[in-house]
Amino acid sequence: VKPFYSKALNSIASTTFGVYLIHDNQFFRTYMWNEIFQVDRYGKESYIFIHMLLCAVVIFAVCFVIESVRKLFIEKPILILYDKILNKLGPKLTVFIKKF
């Protein structure tokens, strides 16, 4: 059986933890539900399920973009810098550790 691989699906999956952390942040959560999506206003309407579904899609999409930008402009440069430092210090650290 050939293992399943999808670049698009893996890209989305790699951001889900960040999406969770962003949308469940205690400082942002209340503002998001009360001010942006106005859940109290639509809570008793007959189309509440459509409203909830659209909220979930919009929240995921916006947080996906925020997390993707964070990964591109913050995480990636830090990992590149880390690799450069590790490549320079790695052999020296190995020699230092072997002395003990």
Side-chain angles (χ1 to χ4, degrees):
V1 176
K2 184 180 177 184
F4 177 76
Y5 176 80
S6 169
K7 187 174 181 176
L9 192 59
N10 286 348
S11 174
I12 293 169
S14 72
T15 64
T16 54
F17 185 62
V19 167
Y20 164 72
L21 292 176
I22 293 166
H23 97 279
D24 198 40
N25 179 293
Q26 68 179 357
F27 301 111
F28 183 64
R29 184 182 333 126
T30 304
Y31 177 74
M32 176 179 61
W33 291 117
N34 294 337
E35 301 298 323
I36 297 173
F37 294 111
Q38 301 176 359
V39 181
D40 294 340
R41 180 177 172 194
Y42 297 105
K44 294 181 178 26
E45 300 293 333
S46 60
Y47 52 86
I48 183 67
F49 294 110
I50 296 170
H51 186 262
M52 289 170 46
L53 182 62
L54 288 174
C55 288
V57 170
V58 168
I59 290 168
F60 191 88
V62 170
C63 292
F64 171 80
V65 170
I66 292 169
E67 177 63 5
S68 296
V69 168
R70 184 203 65 82
K71 287 175 69 173
L72 182 65
F73 291 110
I74 296 173
E75 184 177 302
K76 190 173 181 178
I78 288 173
L79 290 176
I80 291 170
L81 182 63
Y82 174 76
D83 284 342
K84 287 182 180 181
I85 292 170
L86 192 62
N87 286 337
K88 282 189 174 186
L89 294 179
K92 293 176 184 177
L93 288 175
T94 304
V95 171
F96 179 74
I97 292 170
K98 286 183 180 180
K99 288 182 181 181
F100 292 104

